[in-house]
Amino acid sequence: MGSATEATKDISENLLGHKKVTVVFVLGGPGSGKGTQCANIVEHYGFTHLSAGDLLRAEIKSGSENGTMIQNMIKEGKIVPSEVTIKLLQTAILESGNDKFLIDGFPRNEENRAAFERVTGIVPEFVLFFDCSEEEMERRLLGRNQGRVDDNIETIKKRFKVFVESSLPVVEHYESLGKVKRIDAAKPIPEVFEDIKVIFSSLASKVMKLVIISS
Ligand SMILES: Nc1ncnc2c1ncn2[C@@H]1O[C@H](COP(=O)(O)OP(=O)(O)OP(=O)(O)O)[C@@H](O)[C@H]1O
Ligand SMILES: Nc1ccn([C@H]2C[C@H](O)[C@@H](COP(=O)(O)O)O2)c(=O)n1
Ligand SMILES: [Mg+2]
């Protein structure tokens, strides 16, 4: 029964306001394929995908007072202050109507991580980490063609530096807690998803067991 109790704690004891939620952080370098695979996970496992970068880009488009600051930071490959990004994530979670979320590209640094835990009380179920070489990520970003202001070689180099210096320590933090599930993201898209399916199918059966135990 020990493991069932632990699983209950992990899945249920995070609260956002009065809402209980399950969160998976999806981390990896720029262009490692996070967004691509989140779309697959949503389709198969019913999660809501919240990309911190997409939320920030939507904030720029909305004409918000923070828009210019966000735009400049994204162009420079810098990380936007946590309070801005967390507010966007909190609003999206509360408005979603869902109770399970893929939070993609967040937390990006220690400040993001600590502030999110402090403000929301949410501890991730696990971290899905996309492991990919810079050479491959650079090739993908330069071929992405989605009109992003940061998909140019100058900004890409800056984003890689920020990733190594600020984001990898967050992954190491979760690794020390035994929470990281590492994916070889250099494989072709369908093969990466096959590896991801193993992880999410086992999460789904863990949740099913919990439902049976508690009913
Ligand atoms: N496994 C893969 N093999 C080859 N190309 C891929 C793979 N996964 C994604 N791509 C392509 O690489 C590009 C970047 O993918 P995606 O946008 O999913 O990355 P990301 O990790 O979300 O990047 P960012 O952090 O910049 O948002 C896209 O053009 C996508 O089609
Ligand atoms: N937690 C975050 C996530 C993203 N940003 C900014 C800086 C990133 O370079 C940019 C693009 O993000 P992506 O779409 O690549 O995940 O958005 C941030 O400041 N903080
Ligand atoms: Mg993305």
Side-chain angles (χ1 to χ4, degrees), residues 52-53 56-57 74 78-80 85 105-106 108 112 148 150 159:
L56 290 167
R57 283 182 285 274
I74 288 181
K78 291 184 180 159
I79 298 170
V80 173
T85 316
F106 185 97
R108 219 47 166 235
N112 273 183
R148 279 179 51 162
D150 51 353
R159 292 161 74 198

Side-chain angles (χ1 to χ4, degrees), residues 84-169:
V84 173
T85 316
I86 290 172
K87 191 128 202 123
L88 294 171
L89 287 168
Q90 268 185 305
T91 304
I93 290 172
L94 288 168
E95 285 177 350
S96 73
N98 201 350
D99 62 357
K100 44 186 193 170
F101 301 91
L102 302 168
I103 301 194
D104 161 4
F106 185 97
R108 219 47 166 235
N109 61 11
E110 178 55 24
E111 189 215 358
N112 273 183
R113 185 196 70 72
F116 185 79
E117 270 188 36
R118 189 177 64 248
V119 171
T120 67
I122 294 173
V123 173
E125 182 65 16
F126 59 82
V127 172
L128 189 66
F129 176 61
F130 283 62
D131 197 1
C132 195
S133 69
E134 283 193 4
E135 194 188 20
E136 174 63 17
M137 293 192 290
E138 182 181 312
R139 197 171 18 249
R140 291 179 189 176
L141 291 172
L142 291 175
R144 180 155 58 182
N145 239 344
Q146 288 177 0
R148 279 179 51 162
V149 294
D150 51 353
D151 280 351
N152 59 80
I153 193 63
E154 205 178 289
T155 312
I156 288 168
K157 293 291 181 200
K158 290 178 183 166
R159 292 161 74 198
F160 285 165
K161 190 167 187 295
V162 168
F163 174 68
V164 170
E165 289 176 357
S166 302
S167 308
L168 277 180

Side-chain angles (χ1 to χ4, degrees), residues 59-73:
E59 189 68 0
I60 297 170
K61 271 205 186 139
S62 77
S64 109
E65 56 178 350
N66 284 323
T68 308
M69 177 272 290
I70 298 171
Q71 169 91 348
N72 290 336
M73 296 202 80

